[in-house]
């Protein structure tokens, strides 16, 4: 269910685009992003920063797309989002000495270990800690990937048809992210508990 909520704006954007047009799809994207933020606030008591960023960019660029009746604005959304994500990883690491990829991975892995611990009533499981070297490499990998996606999105947006760009945005970007997640899991799997 959380996967559906996470990708609901994108799924609805794609569906409405296929049946109506880019402008209605953009309006639905804005509304779905608002629903996503509202749902997260009322179910978890807080909203992830990335959802606030996605919502703000959807409102600004989506609003301009609808107001000026020009799809060029919405095409920049993915580029801006991925450039912000790539920049956040670089800035947090090299200016604040905080590896966001390490923080995220250890949080997810510790959450999974805690769930297993609660199910097994086994109190011997510890917090999972990943080596700095591997996490630094993953942080660099993800930041480079985000900048690559940002550039690729603009290239596709201006060199291919609107239909091709929408398909790339939905399936291409999700596919690239999935492959990157598989690479990340392969890189850290040797540090995971055997069970």
């Amino acid at each position: 269910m959380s996967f559906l909520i996470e990708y609901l704006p994108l799924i609805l954007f794609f569906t409405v685009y296929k049946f109506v047009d880019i402008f209605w799809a953009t309006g639905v994207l804005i509304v779905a992003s608002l629903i996503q933020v509202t749902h997260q606030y009322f179910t978890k008591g807080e909203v992830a920063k990335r959802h606030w960023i996605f919502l703000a960019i959807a409102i600004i660029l989506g609003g301009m797309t609808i107001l000026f009746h020009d799809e060029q604005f919405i095409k920049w959304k993915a580029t801006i989002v991925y450039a912000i994500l790539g920049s956040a990883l670089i800035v947090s690491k090299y200016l604040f000495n905080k590896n966001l990829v390490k923080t995220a991975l250890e949080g997810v892995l510790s959450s999974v270990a805690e769930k297993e611990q609660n199910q097994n009533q086994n109190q011997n499981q510890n917090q999972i800690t990943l080596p700095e070297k591997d996490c630094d490499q993953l942080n660099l990998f993800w930041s480079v990937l985000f900048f690559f996606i940002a550039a690729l999105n603009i290239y596709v947006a201006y060199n291919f048809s609107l239909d091709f760009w929408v398909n790339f945005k939905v399936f291409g970007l999700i596919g690239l992210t999935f492959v990157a997640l598989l690479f990340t899991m392969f890189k850290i799997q040797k540090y995971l508990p055997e069970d």
Side-chain angles (χ1 to χ4, degrees), residues 79-127:
T79 292
I80 292 171
V81 166
Y82 282 100
I84 288 171
L85 292 172
S87 298
L89 293 179
I90 294 294
V91 168
S92 65
K93 174 64 182 151
Y94 295 106
L95 287 183
F96 301 109
N97 201 26
K98 183 173 183 179
N99 188 322
L100 295 179
V101 170
K102 180 178 183 176
T103 302
L105 285 172
E106 287 179 350
V108 168
L109 295 174
S110 295
S111 174
V112 169
E114 185 178 312
K115 284 181 184 176
E116 288 179 7
Q117 181 180 3
N118 290 340
Q119 288 176 349
N120 299 333
Q121 273 74 39
N122 179 2
Q123 301 300 322
N124 295 331
Q125 298 210 12
N126 296 324
Q127 183 120 349

